[in-house]
Amino acid sequence: MQTTINCQNRPSKWFLCSKKGFKVRSFGTGNQVKLPGPSLDKPNIYEFDTPYEDMYSDLMNKDKLLYTQNGLLHMLDRNRRIKPHPEQFQTCQDIFDVIFTAEERVYDQVVEELASRSPIDNTPVHVINIDIMDNHEEATIGAFLFCELAQLLSTCEDLDNEIDDILQEFETKSQRPILHTVQFY
């Protein structure tokens, strides 16, 4: 397997897979980057080209205690060491073998985006979703789940023919529903 990516604004969740030797890229799928704010109806909103360094400084200035306690500053600190700024999936034209998502809404957006593109050479991409709640504990569990699944998929001799059985076994073992579809580049 050449590349594993995720499609959410939290590259820190995928750091474990990177440490295990997988090439990992992280993307957002919305129009802007939305991070938790002081309340649910007041998120912090940034453009995709906003550097993580600037987001970190902005939140430090707004409420250092709040954003330290909710883990946002830690996440942004790690993210800024991984890459300069968030990337939007819809603007990426790279080809991937597998795309992991951690939220059904994001899975739907990725599938919709790929379906809207005109295929160039009909290279398949497997889009896989396992819902992971957006909190530190679940993100840690999710990192291990996705890394384990990536390792299983990377050992396939024929990914296209073996993936259904692997996903079915993994779904039973993890006790989490898995969504899977194949799209084409």
Side-chain angles (χ1 to χ4, degrees), residues 95 118-124 184-185:
I95 294 175
S118 297
I120 297 169
D121 63 2
N122 288 320
T123 301
F184 296 91
Y185 287 108

Side-chain angles (χ1 to χ4, degrees), residues 1-183:
M1 183 165 47
Q2 298 170 16
T3 306
T4 301
I5 71 163
N6 100 64
C7 295
Q8 291 196 315
N9 293 323
R10 299 199 180 234
S12 56
K13 185 186 299 178
W14 306 94
F15 190 66
L16 177 64
C17 286
S18 179
K19 289 178 78 172
K20 296 280 187 178
F22 291 100
K23 184 178 178 186
V24 176
R25 300 226 2 236
S26 174
F27 297 88
T29 55
N31 294 326
Q32 298 170 312
V33 177
K34 292 182 184 176
L35 300 176
S39 63
L40 288 175
D41 63 334
K42 294 182 182 175
N44 291 287
I45 299 174
Y46 303 96
E47 297 302 318
F48 273 97
D49 60 354
T50 305
Y52 283 120
E53 183 69 40
D54 293 354
M55 292 180 200
Y56 184 90
S57 296
D58 183 46
L59 296 182
M60 281 282 288
N61 292 332
K62 285 181 177 177
D63 191 336
K64 181 180 177 180
L65 181 62
L66 170 67
Y67 296 116
T68 298
Q69 288 178 339
N70 72 6
L72 219 53
L73 290 177
H74 176 70
M75 179 199 74
L76 289 172
D77 184 47
R78 191 175 335 170
N79 291 359
R80 67 185 177 176
R81 288 183 269 141
I82 296 171
K83 64 181 182 177
H85 57 80
E87 297 176 86
Q88 185 179 36
F89 179 72
Q90 291 87 336
T91 63
C92 178
Q93 298 302 310
D94 295 342
I95 294 175
F96 302 99
D97 296 315
V98 176
I99 298 174
F100 289 125
T101 64
E103 185 179 336
E104 188 172 349
R105 176 187 59 82
V106 175
Y107 171 85
D108 291 342
Q109 289 172 326
V110 169
V111 171
E112 182 180 321
E113 172 60 27
L114 291 170
S116 74
R117 297 179 184 183
S118 297
I120 297 169
D121 63 2
N122 288 320
T123 301
V125 57
H126 294 272
V127 184
I128 299 169
N129 182 78
I130 301 174
D131 279 336
I132 306 295
M133 288 178 49
D134 198 7
N135 62 51
H136 182 69
E137 181 180 336
E138 276 288 304
T140 301
I141 292 168
F144 283 102
L145 287 173
F146 281 115
C147 192
E148 182 181 347
L149 183 54
Q151 288 174 320
L152 289 170
L153 296 176
S154 71
T155 62
C156 290
E157 290 184 24
D158 185 348
L159 180 63
D160 295 332
N161 286 325
E162 296 176 45
I163 193 167
D164 288 335
D165 290 338
I166 291 170
L167 292 176
Q168 189 171 26
E169 278 182 44
F170 193 80
E171 185 175 51
T172 300
K173 178 184 173 188
S174 67
Q175 298 183 350
R176 290 178 185 251
I178 295 175
L179 299 175
H180 169 247
T181 191
V182 178
Q183 293 291 313

